[in-house]
Amino acid sequence: MEDIIIILGIAFNLNLPLLTAWLLDHWLGDPAWLPHPVVAFGKAISFCEHRLNKGNVRFLKGAAMSLLLVAGAYLSALLLLRWAASYSPGLLLTLQVLLIFYCLAGTTLVREVCEVFKAVDRSLEEGRKQVARIVGRDTSGLSAQEVRTAALETLAENLSDGVIAPLFWYALLGVPGMFAYKMVNTLDSMIGYKNERYRRFGCFAAHLDDAANYIPARLTAFLMVVASGRFSLLFFVGKYGSRHASPNSGYPEAALAGILNCRFGGPHNYFGEEVWKPYIGDNERPLTTGDMKVAIRINRCVEWLMIIIVVVTATCMFI
């Protein structure tokens, strides 16, 4: 019994920053009044891109910029934490909690998806405006079904990008690794496009994001199936997960489509161009608020599962 109490005490102390930050994310989400490092990441990327994305060897310039910014994010977090550790344990704990909190982005998206479903139930125009807050496509011509589909697709993708991937890199490389992943993700969201402006300059950033999310995306889909309790859906994920244009996004989307027995994909409008995404699933049925509630329940359950995995892994490594 004493050994169990000691192990539980070690686990609690080791994982206090993570658990506190995760609970804060559930409580606060991303409050608008709190300065966020992603804003600084975006300004740094924009500053460099405007000066480097011109002339020759754009691919090499984009690759060098991406590597330097990711390394800078890792080192800045590492040095900041080392400084805090030399100053006081309380300051170290505070900074750890704050940085982990900044890197988790589960609750805000869940709230936004809820608002999309409420808005589209009131009017189609409201739904289009609300979903435009969380997707990059043109929403002006979407039907009510397409609005709901876009919201659920984004919810599935964000579970991987905004929660599971940061926790995965936290488990591997600690808080600095989590912070570096956030820079990778921000780079991809800003310059990882295949349009004329970013095709060469952002190519490396897009592939870096693909590599960083390769395991987390598949882990997310697996945990979603576990959360549903329907392990036969692994075959569904295996069938449809690789059909997406992205090497990663299709897996959590396929898991959610299988759980809801619905169909994702189809034509989308990006930057004035129609992009056809292969269908994931084959049951073209209307999506409802009930489907949204099931998706959110699965999301929350997957977060719990991943937190348990990270806590157990950290404890076992220490012991």
Side-chain angles (χ1 to χ4, degrees):
M1 178 62 70
E2 289 183 5
D3 291 341
I4 294 175
I5 293 174
I6 291 171
I7 290 173
L8 289 175
I10 291 172
F12 179 77
N13 289 329
L14 275 176
N15 297 285
L16 181 59
L18 172 63
L19 295 173
T20 304
W22 181 58
L23 290 173
L24 280 175
D25 179 63
H26 270 248
W27 177 37
L28 296 175
D30 290 325
W33 53 265
L34 187 65
H36 202 291
V38 167
V39 176
F41 288 176
K43 289 181 178 179
I45 293 167
S46 181
F47 177 85
C48 295
E49 188 268 335
H50 282 300
R51 284 154 182 79
L52 296 175
N53 190 14
K54 61 183 71 172
N56 299 320
V57 294
R58 293 192 188 188
F59 173 80
L60 292 178
K61 290 177 182 177
M65 182 197 81
S66 298
L67 289 173
L68 286 172
L69 288 176
V70 172
Y74 181 91
L75 289 173
S76 62
L78 180 64
L79 293 174
L80 188 61
L81 291 174
R82 286 186 176 179
W83 168 80
S86 68
Y87 190 79
S88 78
L91 180 59
L92 174 61
L93 176 62
T94 301
L95 279 176
Q96 286 176 319
V97 169
L98 192 59
L99 292 179
I100 296 170
F101 168 71
Y102 279 138
C103 291
L104 294 175
T107 297
T108 297
L109 203 281
V110 165
R111 292 173 180 171
E112 289 285 350
V113 169
C114 287
E115 290 303 316
V116 168
F117 274 74
K118 291 177 183 177
V120 78
D121 285 343
R122 291 192 296 268
S123 78
L124 177 56
E125 191 57 35
E126 278 192 61
R128 288 168 174 170
K129 290 179 180 178
Q130 191 67 37
V131 80
R133 292 164 53 91
I134 59 173
V135 300
R137 71 192 71 166
D138 179 10
T139 64
S140 61
L142 296 184
S143 66
Q145 171 75 354
E146 289 170 333
V147 167
R148 296 186 180 98
T149 300
L152 292 180
E153 288 175 346
T154 303
L155 182 67
E157 290 180 28
N158 184 78
L159 178 59
S160 178
D161 295 351
V163 181
I164 304 305
L167 289 173
F168 173 82
W169 286 105
Y170 172 83
L172 284 184
L173 298 173
V175 177
M178 202 180 199
F179 214 57
Y181 169 78
K182 203 68 177 178
M183 176 62 85
V184 170
N185 202 235
T186 307
L187 279 161
D188 180 65
S189 68
M190 290 186 66
I191 65 172
Y193 299 104
K194 294 182 179 180
N195 56 21
E196 183 62 30
R197 179 172 178 175
Y198 296 121
R199 183 173 286 109
R200 286 181 292 164
F201 187 78
C203 180
F204 182 86
H207 286 303
L208 186 62
D209 184 76
D210 290 341
N213 284 293
Y214 188 87
I215 295 175
R218 288 151 181 81
L219 177 60
T220 302
F222 175 74
L223 292 177
M224 291 172 77
V225 171
V226 172
S228 74
R230 297 159 56 196
F231 291 93
S232 61
L233 288 177
L234 290 172
F235 296 101
F236 184 92
V237 174
K239 177 181 178 180
Y240 288 103
S242 61
R243 295 189 180 184
H244 200 283
S246 162
N248 299 317
S249 298
Y251 288 90
E253 284 189 25
L256 186 56
I259 291 167
L260 297 179
N261 189 26
C262 67
R263 188 176 76 174
F264 293 151
H268 303 310
N269 194 320
Y270 290 93
F271 304 106
E273 296 181 9
E274 185 176 81
V275 177
W276 186 275
K277 294 186 177 181
Y279 286 118
I280 295 176
D282 53 18
N283 187 12
E284 187 182 4
R285 67 171 185 82
L287 292 168
T288 66
T289 299
D291 295 311
M292 176 267 290
K293 291 179 179 179
V294 170
I296 290 175
R297 178 177 58 79
I298 292 295
N299 262 45
R300 290 311 195 189
C301 186
V302 169
E303 285 188 35
W304 273 101
L305 290 172
M306 189 63 185
I307 287 291
I308 292 170
I309 290 170
V310 173
V311 167
V312 171
T313 300
T315 305
C316 290
M317 289 177 65
F318 182 83
I319 295 174

